[in-house]
Amino acid sequence: MKNRLVHFMINRADFFKVALKPLYQDLLNHSECVLDKQKYCLFCMQWGESFPEEKNSGILFVGRSVNGWKNGDFDSIYNAEDQMEWVEKQWGSKDRYNTCHSPFWRVIKKVSTEYHLEKWYKYVAWSNLYKVAPSLGGNPDDFICGWQFHNCCRILQKEIELLSPRVVIFLTGKSWSNPFLWYLNGGKEPSIKHSLDWGSDYTSELMKIGTFYCLATEHPQGKTEESHVNAIIELINKTTDNVSSMKT
């Protein structure tokens, strides 16, 4: 209760920063012996300016890692001026990364606009399982994932605590998300409340961990997007008796 009161007394971004920065310091201190700052980049979660402040509200999308990102320390990448809005700004871009070409962002936008028809990016949040990734693109290899795994678990847990979303959607594939889901569930396998088959041979699963729901599904690359999006939306709708309350 005390933390929630402090939250409303100071800017939300400042509140998040105070909570997250020590965890990132632990991550980077642990990485000093192996991290080449010219080759690897750091990522911090982003949230839209209208992401709900009510507890257990909103959607947090989680990917594997960034696929190419700017280099910088925590202070320089945290709370970017156009966070989340940049996805829409670069939709169809001809001179920068074109987010419309990304199956990951296309699925996120299609799911988000089911609940937020206008300026969808203002109401959702985005993070990644792994916070350190190659600057030029691609997922971190097994070695880089291994040394950062525990600290990234701690950071993801804190992100969920701070944002307090209703649903956390893991667009990662289960081999990527399962270790994090076990961590979030106190080292135990989460129980599946609902599952839906879609596409040729894929399944999306809905679990509840504490006060929030986790939706584990495939990474969108190379998958049938319409059936994937429909499955995600159907599972999200199973988290509430009043779907209209999630819409703006």
Side-chain angles (χ1 to χ4, degrees):
M1 182 64 180
K2 182 178 180 181
N3 284 343
R4 299 296 294 182
L5 290 174
V6 172
H7 182 171
F8 287 107
M9 291 171 62
I10 64 175
N11 179 276
R12 175 159 62 168
D14 292 339
F15 179 79
F16 288 178
K17 186 174 185 178
V18 168
L20 288 170
K21 189 168 184 178
L23 299 177
Y24 272 85
Q25 288 173 334
D26 287 346
L27 170 66
L28 295 177
N29 288 340
H30 183 63
S31 71
E32 282 301 315
C33 60
V34 295
L35 181 62
D36 184 337
K37 294 181 176 61
Q38 301 304 313
K39 295 182 179 180
Y40 291 93
C41 58
L42 188 67
F43 170 81
C44 190
M45 73 171 185
Q46 298 190 0
W47 66 94
E49 63 181 39
S50 297
F51 189 88
E53 294 205 24
E54 297 81 9
K55 294 188 69 174
N56 306 125
S57 301
I59 299 173
L60 167 63
F61 293 94
V62 178
R64 295 172 176 175
S65 70
V66 288
N67 185 17
W69 202 246
K70 59 185 178 181
N71 289 355
D73 59 15
F74 176 82
D75 289 323
S76 66
I77 65 168
Y78 177 78
N79 192 27
E81 184 176 348
D82 63 346
Q83 62 175 356
M84 293 311 300
E85 186 176 1
W86 69 271
V87 180
E88 188 68 18
K89 284 181 177 179
Q90 293 179 208
W91 200 265
S93 175
K94 295 181 179 178
D95 56 355
R96 291 187 294 173
Y97 169 63
N98 183 354
T99 48
C100 181
H101 287 169
S102 165
F104 180 81
W105 287 116
R106 289 200 300 267
V107 166
I108 288 178
K109 182 173 180 177
K110 288 173 183 176
V111 171
S112 299
T113 53
E114 174 71 13
Y115 305 98
H116 312 289
L117 283 176
E118 296 185 9
K119 299 184 177 180
W120 63 272
Y121 51 86
K122 293 174 61 176
Y123 300 95
V124 299
W126 163 53
S127 190
N128 285 294
L129 299 175
Y130 292 99
K131 312 306 185 188
V132 175
S135 300
L136 297 180
N139 292 314
D141 60 26
D142 289 346
F143 176 70
I144 299 298
C145 286
W147 65 251
Q148 63 175 311
F149 171 72
H150 180 68
N151 284 305
C152 288
C153 283
R154 296 171 63 214
I155 293 171
L156 179 62
Q157 186 175 50
K158 180 59 69 172
E159 291 170 342
I160 294 171
E161 176 189 325
L162 294 170
L163 290 169
S164 188
R166 181 173 192 81
V167 187
V168 183
I169 301 177
F170 292 85
L171 293 166
T172 60
K174 293 166 194 171
S175 64
W176 286 78
S177 62
N178 277 349
F180 287 84
L181 291 168
W182 278 60
Y183 179 90
L184 294 171
N185 198 43
K188 299 178 293 184
E189 183 177 9
S191 59
I192 298 170
K193 296 182 70 69
H194 301 282
S195 65
L196 280 175
D197 297 331
W198 56 275
S200 56
D201 56 356
Y202 303 113
T203 302
S204 298
E205 297 172 341
L206 184 69
M207 296 148 269
K208 191 169 187 183
I209 298 177
T211 60
F212 61 94
Y213 289 90
C214 290
L215 198 165
T217 191
E218 298 295 326
H219 188 284
Q221 185 73 40
K223 315 297 190 304
T224 305
E225 289 181 22
E226 183 178 1
S227 59
H228 195 184
V229 167
N230 289 341
I232 292 171
I233 290 171
E234 186 171 343
L235 288 174
I236 291 173
N237 290 348
K238 290 183 181 296
T239 70
T240 178
D241 294 327
N242 183 12
V243 174
S244 61
S245 67
M246 297 183 64
K247 298 185 177 183
T248 55

mmCIF file of all heavy atoms in Angstrom, residues 189-216:
data_model
loop_
_atom_site.group_PDB
_atom_site.id
_atom_site.type_symbol
_atom_site.label_atom_id
_atom_site.label_comp_id
_atom_site.label_asym_id
_atom_site.label_seq_id
_atom_site.Cartn_x
_atom_site.Cartn_y
_atom_site.Cartn_z
ATOM 1 N N GLU A 189 5.655 -25.318 -12.408
ATOM 2 C CA GLU A 189 5.005 -25.207 -13.706
ATOM 3 C C GLU A 189 3.611 -24.610 -13.539
ATOM 4 O O GLU A 189 2.803 -25.122 -12.770
ATOM 5 C CB GLU A 189 4.902 -26.581 -14.370
ATOM 6 C CG GLU A 189 4.291 -26.524 -15.757
ATOM 7 C CD GLU A 189 4.253 -27.878 -16.441
ATOM 8 O OE1 GLU A 189 4.555 -28.896 -15.750
ATOM 9 O OE2 GLU A 189 3.923 -27.938 -17.630
ATOM 10 N N PRO A 190 3.299 -23.513 -14.248
ATOM 11 C CA PRO A 190 1.964 -22.925 -14.133
ATOM 12 C C PRO A 190 0.904 -23.860 -14.701
ATOM 13 O O PRO A 190 1.148 -24.588 -15.664
ATOM 14 C CB PRO A 190 2.058 -21.639 -14.965
ATOM 15 C CG PRO A 190 3.518 -21.403 -15.165
ATOM 16 C CD PRO A 190 4.170 -22.741 -15.154
ATOM 17 N N SER A 191 -0.271 -23.847 -14.112
ATOM 18 C CA SER A 191 -1.361 -24.668 -14.629
ATOM 19 C C SER A 191 -2.092 -23.920 -15.739
ATOM 20 O O SER A 191 -2.293 -22.708 -15.668
ATOM 21 C CB SER A 191 -2.342 -25.030 -13.510
ATOM 22 O OG SER A 191 -2.873 -23.861 -12.926
ATOM 23 N N ILE A 192 -2.478 -24.647 -16.766
ATOM 24 C CA ILE A 192 -3.135 -24.055 -17.934
ATOM 25 C C ILE A 192 -4.636 -23.988 -17.691
ATOM 26 O O ILE A 192 -5.273 -25.001 -17.401
ATOM 27 C CB ILE A 192 -2.824 -24.882 -19.194
ATOM 28 C CG1 ILE A 192 -1.319 -24.873 -19.462
ATOM 29 C CG2 ILE A 192 -3.580 -24.332 -20.404
ATOM 30 C CD1 ILE A 192 -0.885 -25.860 -20.535
ATOM 31 N N LYS A 193 -5.203 -22.793 -17.829
ATOM 32 C CA LYS A 193 -6.640 -22.612 -17.629
ATOM 33 C C LYS A 193 -7.411 -22.834 -18.926
ATOM 34 O O LYS A 193 -8.506 -23.387 -18.926
ATOM 35 C CB LYS A 193 -6.915 -21.204 -17.079
ATOM 36 C CG LYS A 193 -6.326 -20.948 -15.699
ATOM 37 C CD LYS A 193 -6.670 -19.553 -15.205
ATOM 38 C CE LYS A 193 -8.140 -19.411 -14.857
ATOM 39 N NZ LYS A 193 -8.520 -20.178 -13.669
ATOM 40 N N HIS A 194 -6.843 -22.344 -20.033
ATOM 41 C CA HIS A 194 -7.480 -22.504 -21.346
ATOM 42 C C HIS A 194 -6.386 -22.645 -22.394
ATOM 43 O O HIS A 194 -5.298 -22.085 -22.249
ATOM 44 C CB HIS A 194 -8.350 -21.292 -21.700
ATOM 45 C CG HIS A 194 -9.445 -21.004 -20.725
ATOM 46 N ND1 HIS A 194 -10.616 -21.722 -20.688
ATOM 47 C CD2 HIS A 194 -9.539 -20.066 -19.748
ATOM 48 C CE1 HIS A 194 -11.389 -21.246 -19.728
ATOM 49 N NE2 HIS A 194 -10.766 -20.244 -19.144
ATOM 50 N N SER A 195 -6.684 -23.360 -23.459
ATOM 51 C CA SER A 195 -5.758 -23.457 -24.585
ATOM 52 C C SER A 195 -6.557 -23.462 -25.882
ATOM 53 O O SER A 195 -7.717 -23.899 -25.915
ATOM 54 C CB SER A 195 -4.887 -24.710 -24.482
ATOM 55 O OG SER A 195 -5.669 -25.882 -24.580
ATOM 56 N N LEU A 196 -5.939 -22.968 -26.947
ATOM 57 C CA LEU A 196 -6.589 -22.925 -28.257
ATOM 58 C C LEU A 196 -5.599 -23.356 -29.327
ATOM 59 O O LEU A 196 -4.459 -22.870 -29.363
ATOM 60 C CB LEU A 196 -7.077 -21.502 -28.567
ATOM 61 C CG LEU A 196 -8.390 -21.036 -27.937
ATOM 62 C CD1 LEU A 196 -8.633 -19.577 -28.276
ATOM 63 C CD2 LEU A 196 -9.551 -21.894 -28.417
ATOM 64 N N ASP A 197 -6.029 -24.261 -30.193
ATOM 65 C CA ASP A 197 -5.224 -24.655 -31.336
ATOM 66 C C ASP A 197 -5.508 -23.701 -32.487
ATOM 67 O O ASP A 197 -6.648 -23.245 -32.681
ATOM 68 C CB ASP A 197 -5.559 -26.085 -31.761
ATOM 69 C CG ASP A 197 -5.218 -27.099 -30.676
ATOM 70 O OD1 ASP A 197 -4.282 -26.841 -29.900
ATOM 71 O OD2 ASP A 197 -5.905 -28.143 -30.619
ATOM 72 N N TRP A 198 -4.496 -23.411 -33.262
ATOM 73 C CA TRP A 198 -4.664 -22.515 -34.410
ATOM 74 C C TRP A 198 -3.595 -22.853 -35.462
ATOM 75 O O TRP A 198 -2.606 -23.518 -35.168
ATOM 76 C CB TRP A 198 -4.569 -21.047 -34.003
ATOM 77 C CG TRP A 198 -3.290 -20.683 -33.292
ATOM 78 C CD1 TRP A 198 -3.033 -20.802 -31.967
ATOM 79 C CD2 TRP A 198 -2.099 -20.169 -33.892
ATOM 80 N NE1 TRP A 198 -1.748 -20.397 -31.684
ATOM 81 C CE2 TRP A 198 -1.159 -19.997 -32.854
ATOM 82 C CE3 TRP A 198 -1.735 -19.838 -35.194
ATOM 83 C CZ2 TRP A 198 0.130 -19.509 -33.080
ATOM 84 C CZ3 TRP A 198 -0.448 -19.351 -35.435
ATOM 85 C CH2 TRP A 198 0.462 -19.176 -34.381
ATOM 86 N N GLY A 199 -3.812 -22.356 -36.684
ATOM 87 C CA GLY A 199 -2.850 -22.617 -37.745
ATOM 88 C C GLY A 199 -2.726 -24.100 -38.015
ATOM 89 O O GLY A 199 -3.651 -24.890 -37.777
ATOM 90 N N SER A 200 -1.567 -24.512 -38.492
ATOM 91 C CA SER A 200 -1.363 -25.909 -38.856
ATOM 92 C C SER A 200 -1.187 -26.807 -37.635
ATOM 93 O O SER A 200 -1.807 -27.867 -37.547
ATOM 94 C CB SER A 200 -0.149 -26.036 -39.785
ATOM 95 O OG SER A 200 1.002 -25.468 -39.165
ATOM 96 N N ASP A 201 -0.352 -26.385 -36.696
ATOM 97 C CA ASP A 201 -0.122 -27.247 -35.525
ATOM 98 C C ASP A 201 0.373 -26.445 -34.316
ATOM 99 O O ASP A 201 1.279 -26.870 -33.607
ATOM 100 C CB ASP A 201 0.886 -28.356 -35.854
ATOM 101 C CG ASP A 201 2.208 -27.810 -36.387
ATOM 102 O OD1 ASP A 201 2.318 -26.584 -36.565
ATOM 103 O OD2 ASP A 201 3.127 -28.610 -36.609
ATOM 104 N N TYR A 202 -0.239 -25.290 -34.091
ATOM 105 C CA TYR A 202 0.183 -24.433 -32.985
ATOM 106 C C TYR A 202 -0.894 -24.375 -31.904
ATOM 107 O O TYR A 202 -2.085 -24.548 -32.182
ATOM 108 C CB TYR A 202 0.490 -23.017 -33.484
ATOM 109 C CG TYR A 202 1.543 -22.983 -34.563
ATOM 110 C CD1 TYR A 202 1.225 -22.595 -35.859
ATOM 111 C CD2 TYR A 202 2.855 -23.358 -34.288
ATOM 112 C CE1 TYR A 202 2.183 -22.565 -36.858
ATOM 113 C CE2 TYR A 202 3.828 -23.329 -35.274
ATOM 114 C CZ TYR A 202 3.484 -22.932 -36.565
ATOM 115 O OH TYR A 202 4.435 -22.924 -37.547
ATOM 116 N N THR A 203 -0.463 -24.094 -30.683
ATOM 117 C CA THR A 203 -1.378 -23.973 -29.555
ATOM 118 C C THR A 203 -0.970 -22.774 -28.701
ATOM 119 O O THR A 203 0.215 -22.597 -28.400
ATOM 120 C CB THR A 203 -1.351 -25.238 -28.674
ATOM 121 O OG1 THR A 203 -1.702 -26.367 -29.468
ATOM 122 C CG2 THR A 203 -2.343 -25.112 -27.521
ATOM 123 N N SER A 204 -1.936 -21.964 -28.337
ATOM 124 C CA SER A 204 -1.711 -20.862 -27.402
ATOM 125 C C SER A 204 -2.352 -21.229 -26.070
ATOM 126 O O SER A 204 -3.440 -21.817 -26.037
ATOM 127 C CB SER A 204 -2.323 -19.563 -27.936
ATOM 128 O OG SER A 204 -1.709 -19.187 -29.162
ATOM 129 N N GLU A 205 -1.699 -20.873 -24.973
ATOM 130 C CA GLU A 205 -2.149 -21.293 -23.646
ATOM 131 C C GLU A 205 -2.293 -20.111 -22.705
ATOM 132 O O GLU A 205 -1.465 -19.196 -22.701
ATOM 133 C CB GLU A 205 -1.148 -22.295 -23.059
ATOM 134 C CG GLU A 205 -1.046 -23.569 -23.872
ATOM 135 C CD GLU A 205 0.074 -24.487 -23.412
ATOM 136 O OE1 GLU A 205 1.006 -24.002 -22.713
ATOM 137 O OE2 GLU A 205 0.025 -25.684 -23.748
ATOM 138 N N LEU A 206 -3.351 -20.134 -21.917
ATOM 139 C CA LEU A 206 -3.620 -19.090 -20.934
ATOM 140 C C LEU A 206 -3.440 -19.649 -19.530
ATOM 141 O O LEU A 206 -3.997 -20.696 -19.195
ATOM 142 C CB LEU A 206 -5.048 -18.564 -21.110
ATOM 143 C CG LEU A 206 -5.445 -17.396 -20.200
ATOM 144 C CD1 LEU A 206 -4.695 -16.116 -20.591
ATOM 145 C CD2 LEU A 206 -6.951 -17.148 -20.268
ATOM 146 N N MET A 207 -2.655 -18.968 -18.736
ATOM 147 C CA MET A 207 -2.392 -19.352 -17.349
ATOM 148 C C MET A 207 -2.649 -18.158 -16.440
ATOM 149 O O MET A 207 -2.658 -17.019 -16.906
ATOM 150 C CB MET A 207 -0.926 -19.792 -17.192
ATOM 151 C CG MET A 207 -0.538 -21.034 -17.976
ATOM 152 S SD MET A 207 1.189 -20.984 -18.517
ATOM 153 C CE MET A 207 1.025 -20.206 -20.115
ATOM 154 N N LYS A 208 -2.826 -18.419 -15.164
ATOM 155 C CA LYS A 208 -2.910 -17.334 -14.201
ATOM 156 C C LYS A 208 -1.840 -17.535 -13.142
ATOM 157 O O LYS A 208 -1.717 -18.611 -12.553
ATOM 158 C CB LYS A 208 -4.285 -17.255 -13.539
ATOM 159 C CG LYS A 208 -4.463 -15.956 -12.744
ATOM 160 C CD LYS A 208 -5.902 -15.726 -12.304
ATOM 161 C CE LYS A 208 -6.045 -14.337 -11.679
ATOM 162 N NZ LYS A 208 -7.421 -14.093 -11.179
ATOM 163 N N ILE A 209 -1.048 -16.489 -12.932
ATOM 164 C CA ILE A 209 0.015 -16.512 -11.936
ATOM 165 C C ILE A 209 -0.236 -15.357 -10.977
ATOM 166 O O ILE A 209 -0.111 -14.190 -11.358
ATOM 167 C CB ILE A 209 1.405 -16.389 -12.581
ATOM 168 C CG1 ILE A 209 1.671 -17.574 -13.516
ATOM 169 C CG2 ILE A 209 2.489 -16.302 -11.515
ATOM 170 C CD1 ILE A 209 2.990 -17.507 -14.257
ATOM 171 N N GLY A 210 -0.608 -15.665 -9.779
ATOM 172 C CA GLY A 210 -0.941 -14.596 -8.834
ATOM 173 C C GLY A 210 -2.156 -13.829 -9.302
ATOM 174 O O GLY A 210 -3.216 -14.405 -9.554
ATOM 175 N N THR A 211 -1.982 -12.521 -9.508
ATOM 176 C CA THR A 211 -3.112 -11.665 -9.882
ATOM 177 C C THR A 211 -3.197 -11.409 -11.379
ATOM 178 O O THR A 211 -4.128 -10.742 -11.830
ATOM 179 C CB THR A 211 -3.003 -10.305 -9.158
ATOM 180 O OG1 THR A 211 -1.772 -9.667 -9.548
ATOM 181 C CG2 THR A 211 -3.020 -10.483 -7.648
ATOM 182 N N PHE A 212 -2.247 -11.899 -12.163
ATOM 183 C CA PHE A 212 -2.248 -11.588 -13.586
ATOM 184 C C PHE A 212 -2.298 -12.866 -14.420
ATOM 185 O O PHE A 212 -1.959 -13.959 -13.963
ATOM 186 C CB PHE A 212 -1.019 -10.748 -13.971
ATOM 187 C CG PHE A 212 0.297 -11.434 -13.704
ATOM 188 C CD1 PHE A 212 0.943 -12.167 -14.688
ATOM 189 C CD2 PHE A 212 0.903 -11.322 -12.460
ATOM 190 C CE1 PHE A 212 2.144 -12.796 -14.446
ATOM 191 C CE2 PHE A 212 2.119 -11.939 -12.200
ATOM 192 C CZ PHE A 212 2.744 -12.680 -13.192
ATOM 193 N N TYR A 213 -2.735 -12.704 -15.666
ATOM 194 C CA TYR A 213 -2.796 -13.808 -16.609
ATOM 195 C C TYR A 213 -1.569 -13.784 -17.517
ATOM 196 O O TYR A 213 -1.078 -12.709 -17.899
ATOM 197 C CB TYR A 213 -4.045 -13.705 -17.478
ATOM 198 C CG TYR A 213 -5.333 -13.995 -16.741
ATOM 199 C CD1 TYR A 213 -6.045 -12.969 -16.118
ATOM 200 C CD2 TYR A 213 -5.850 -15.288 -16.682
ATOM 201 C CE1 TYR A 213 -7.225 -13.227 -15.438
ATOM 202 C CE2 TYR A 213 -7.034 -15.558 -16.017
ATOM 203 C CZ TYR A 213 -7.715 -14.523 -15.392
ATOM 204 O OH TYR A 213 -8.887 -14.785 -14.713
ATOM 205 N N CYS A 214 -1.093 -14.952 -17.880
ATOM 206 C CA CYS A 214 -0.016 -15.096 -18.855
ATOM 207 C C CYS A 214 -0.558 -15.864 -20.050
ATOM 208 O O CYS A 214 -1.195 -16.905 -19.882
ATOM 209 C CB CYS A 214 1.167 -15.848 -18.252
ATOM 210 S SG CYS A 214 2.072 -14.921 -17.007
ATOM 211 N N LEU A 215 -0.302 -15.339 -21.224
ATOM 212 C CA LEU A 215 -0.729 -15.991 -22.451
ATOM 213 C C LEU A 215 0.542 -16.356 -23.217
ATOM 214 O O LEU A 215 1.252 -15.482 -23.715
ATOM 215 C CB LEU A 215 -1.615 -15.041 -23.264
ATOM 216 C CG LEU A 215 -2.503 -15.646 -24.351
ATOM 217 C CD1 LEU A 215 -3.559 -14.620 -24.791
ATOM 218 C CD2 LEU A 215 -1.716 -16.111 -25.571
ATOM 219 N N ALA A 216 0.832 -17.642 -23.281
ATOM 220 C CA ALA A 216 2.048 -18.123 -23.950
ATOM 221 C C ALA A 216 1.702 -18.574 -25.362
ATOM 222 O O ALA A 216 0.835 -19.435 -25.550
ATOM 223 C CB ALA A 216 2.662 -19.270 -23.161
#
